[in-house]
Each structure stands twice: as C-alpha cells, then as structure tokens.
Amino acid sequence: MGARDATTGPADIAVRAGIRAPSQHNTQPWRFRVLGDGVEVLRDAGRVLEHGDDGGRGADLACGAVLCNMRVALTAAGYGCAVDVLPDGGRPELAGVVRFTGPARPGPEDIALGAAVARRATNRRPFADRPVPPSLRHRLAAAADGEGARLVVLSPAELDTFAALLRRADHELARDADYRAELAAWTHDGERPDGVPASAGGPRPEPGTLLAMRDFGAARRVADEPPTAARAFERDPCVAVLTSTGDTRRHRITAGIALEHVLLVATSRGLGASFLPQPLEVESTRLELTTALGRRGYPQTALRLGYGYPGATTPRRPVEDVTSYAG
Ligand SMILES: Cc1cc2nc3c(=O)[nH]c(=O)nc-3n(C[C@H](O)[C@H](O)[C@H](O)COP(=O)(O)O)c2cc1C
C-alpha cells in the first residue's frame, strides 16, 4: 500500500486509536497488520498473562476493545468500516479485522465517542457520593446491548454477593506467589511504555471498604516501608457486570468490543470507570458469579462506575513497534 495510507490515512487513524485500548496490567497483548483495505488485529501470545488471566480472557477482551476503538475512530473521521471477529479459523491469533468500506458521515454521537478514545483512562481513585443517573445507566446498557453483550448493573443485594466473591478471589490471587511475581513484573515507576505505572495505581482503600481493589503497590512494597495513607471510597458504589450469551473466544472478543463502547460512552459523559475482574480470574468465584447472575449471561468483566477527578492516561508502545505491513 502507498506511504500516504500508512502514515496519514485510515490505517494510521485505526492503529493510533487501537493502541489506546485498556488491557489487564497494560500488557497491550496485540499487534497490527496493515492490509490494502483494512487492518488486522492479532493477539500477541507473548503478552498473554500466565497467571490470573483465565485462559486468555483478558487478552481477548483487550483485542475486542482495540477493534471497537478502531471502528469508533474511523467512523468519527468519516471512514466507513466493518469489523469481523475471528475471521479465519486457520489463524486463531487473528482476533479480528477492520475493513474500510468507503466514506461515512459521522453524527454528533460518533464524534463524541471518537473524541473519548484518547481521553479514556482507568480511574482507580475514590468516586464522589453522587449516583449514576438512571438515564445514563440505560445508555450504557444500550451500548453493550448494541454490541451483542449485556451490562448488568447490580442491585444493593447483588452488590453484597459480588463484594464477597471479589474479596475471596482477591485474597486467593494474592496468596499465589506466581501471580504476585507477575503483577510486580508489570508494575513500575513510570519508565516503561507498557505495564502499570505506580502513579496510576490509585490510593489504598480504608479498612472495611466494600470493594477489594487489585493492589498494584503490594508486590513492590518493602516490608519495613510505612504504608501509604488509606482513603475512603464511595459509600454506595455503582458496580456493573458485563456478560455474554456464551463463553467462547468469539464471545469474549465481542464482549471486549462492548466493554470499550461502554467505557467510551462513560468517558464522553464525564463518568469514570475502574475494573473489578478478580472473581473472573479464580474458577470457583467465576462459577458462583455465573450462578448468581442466573439467566443474565456469562460474566466477562466487572466495572466500578462513578464521578471523580479523572485518571491520567498511561503510556503505550509506539505504533511502529506493533505494526507490520502486508505484501
Ligand atoms: C481485562 C482487563 C482487566 C483489568 N483488570 C484490572 C484490575 O483488576 N485492576 C485495575 O486497577 N485495572 C484493571 N484493568 C485496567 C488496566 O490496568 C488498564 O486498562 C491499563 O493499565 C491501561 O490503562 P488505561 O485503562 O488507563 O488506558 C483491567 C483492564 C482489562 C482490559
């Protein structure tokens, strides 16, 4: 393909948006292959976590989020496109392809979501005690629904059940030395283009806080170091579980598309989000959560939603390091 297409055309817009996707521990488990009429998204096996990522669920969710960002950014820039998930059974590493389909006329919502791609960031700080209005909850649920997934906002009773599973899963994971070592290896002081900078890790919740957050600091803290000050988190957290109608890789990648669509709608409305996926990463709690959700589908991840001081964006590997060109 021509040099212009590779640097300023739709492929460039797509890849630059794709790399802004969220990923567990910011592993960025993706690579891109630019075609004449589209861009392939490949799951990078070398960046799939070995511990705490139930069979690559997190990597598939991340690749789905990449596909969503690419579609949203292309549409906002006036390029029509079509997304195909797992298009080639003979190439399982090919998570999806985005093909350019000609000009598109973006509406105001397309442009708002396109602008949210670069601003979206995980917000691990406490949120204000201000409820998420029902109209916005419905808008978020509609975003998931439109992608073939479901966003289940938990009732107070369901939240108690979820919080208990979260505590158990978090405790179980924290007891696993391999998991702790892997988490430590992906946490750093801000000198790398991947992994989670300690500054993005968020404050330690006060004892007795309902929701157990993944502790990015624990693995690096030395035994005699004084603990950082604990902060109070919101009293009535808003937690939503994203579910699918099945639990195959196709369902997971599609759930990743839905996840990012939900996060972009949230960002565009000034709503923050952080992840609470630990119950999905331990088999017993994942099965219990599935049972608790009943017929509402297979859980893929969980989000804490609320209003707060926005989180800072984290680094990504440069486009040149993750892109190759066909032919
Ligand atoms: C599947 C998945 C699981 C994640 N799990 C957690 C988590 O347990 N705790 C957390 O604070 N962030 C979690 N994250 C958020 C990532 O750490 C975050 O996306 C990454 O560091 C990049 O930062 P950004 O989202 O601000 O762009 C998760 C993200 C994904 C996609």
Side-chain angles (χ1 to χ4, degrees):
M1 68 183 305
R4 185 185 174 281
D5 284 336
T7 54
T8 60
D12 185 60
I13 291 169
V15 177
R16 280 184 197 288
I19 62 170
R20 293 309 317 166
S23 59
Q24 191 170 349
H25 301 2
N26 198 18
T27 54
Q28 304 166 39
W30 51 66
R31 285 182 293 114
F32 300 87
R33 186 161 169 268
V34 176
L35 313 172
D37 65 344
V39 180
E40 291 180 341
V41 177
L42 302 132
R43 187 169 94 157
D44 185 342
R47 287 176 170 268
V48 177
L49 294 167
E50 276 182 50
H51 308 280
D53 182 7
D54 175 34
R57 179 191 307 280
D60 282 334
L61 286 170
C63 287
V66 168
L67 290 166
C68 178
N69 270 1
M70 293 165 82
R71 187 192 74 200
V72 165
L74 284 166
T75 309
Y79 293 99
C81 63
V83 174
D84 201 358
V85 170
L86 291 174
D88 184 346
R91 294 172 65 202
E93 77 283 7
L94 179 57
V97 61
V98 178
R99 293 204 183 271
F100 313 136
T101 56
R105 201 175 308 156
E109 178 69 4
D110 297 319
I111 290 172
L113 292 190
V117 168
R119 282 192 289 118
R120 185 213 56 79
T122 301
N123 188 343
R124 302 180 181 85
R125 298 196 184 101
F127 293 139
D129 281 316
R130 170 183 163 199
V132 181
S135 57
L136 182 49
R137 292 177 188 216
H138 288 140
R139 176 68 190 86
L140 297 170
D145 202 46
E147 305 288 0
R150 188 164 172 179
L151 191 73
V152 180
V153 179
L154 300 182
S155 68
E158 290 172 331
L159 182 59
D160 284 341
T161 306
F162 177 85
L165 293 174
L166 180 67
R167 273 194 299 277
R168 243 176 60 206
D170 196 65
H171 183 68
E172 190 110 341
L173 289 167
R175 279 182 7 186
D176 178 342
D178 291 331
Y179 165 86
R180 287 201 310 273
E182 191 174 59
L183 183 59
W186 285 103
T187 313
H188 56 81
D189 292 326
E191 71 281 3
R192 272 169 49 184
D194 56 7
V196 180
S199 58
R204 208 160 44 85
E206 268 181 359
T209 299
L210 183 66
L211 301 173
M213 319 273 172
R214 201 185 312 267
D215 188 352
F216 288 96
R220 298 167 59 80
R221 220 171 278 138
V222 283
D224 54 357
E225 191 181 311
T228 51
R231 294 266 311 273
F233 275 64
E234 61 274 17
R235 270 196 307 272
D236 296 311
C238 176
V239 173
V241 180
L242 184 76
T243 70
S244 304
T245 53
D247 199 20
T248 63
R249 281 198 65 206
R250 184 176 297 279
H251 287 108
R252 294 172 179 190
I253 296 169
T254 304
I257 297 176
L259 164 69
E260 185 66 353
H261 194 161
V262 167
L263 293 175
L264 294 178
V265 171
T267 303
S268 70
R269 269 63 170 185
L271 188 70
S274 67
F275 290 75
L276 301 168
Q278 299 96 311
L280 280 300
E281 296 165 14
V282 173
E283 196 187 0
S284 62
T285 50
R286 179 171 55 78
L287 294 176
E288 281 185 52
L289 181 58
T290 308
T291 305
L293 288 165
R295 296 190 183 174
R296 288 173 294 177
Y298 293 82
Q300 296 296 343
T301 195
L303 298 171
R304 179 181 69 106
L305 300 162
Y307 295 96
Y309 191 73
T313 55
T314 49
R316 294 293 187 274
R317 291 177 296 152
V319 165
E320 316 75 85
D321 290 8
V322 292
T323 310
S324 64
Y325 298 86

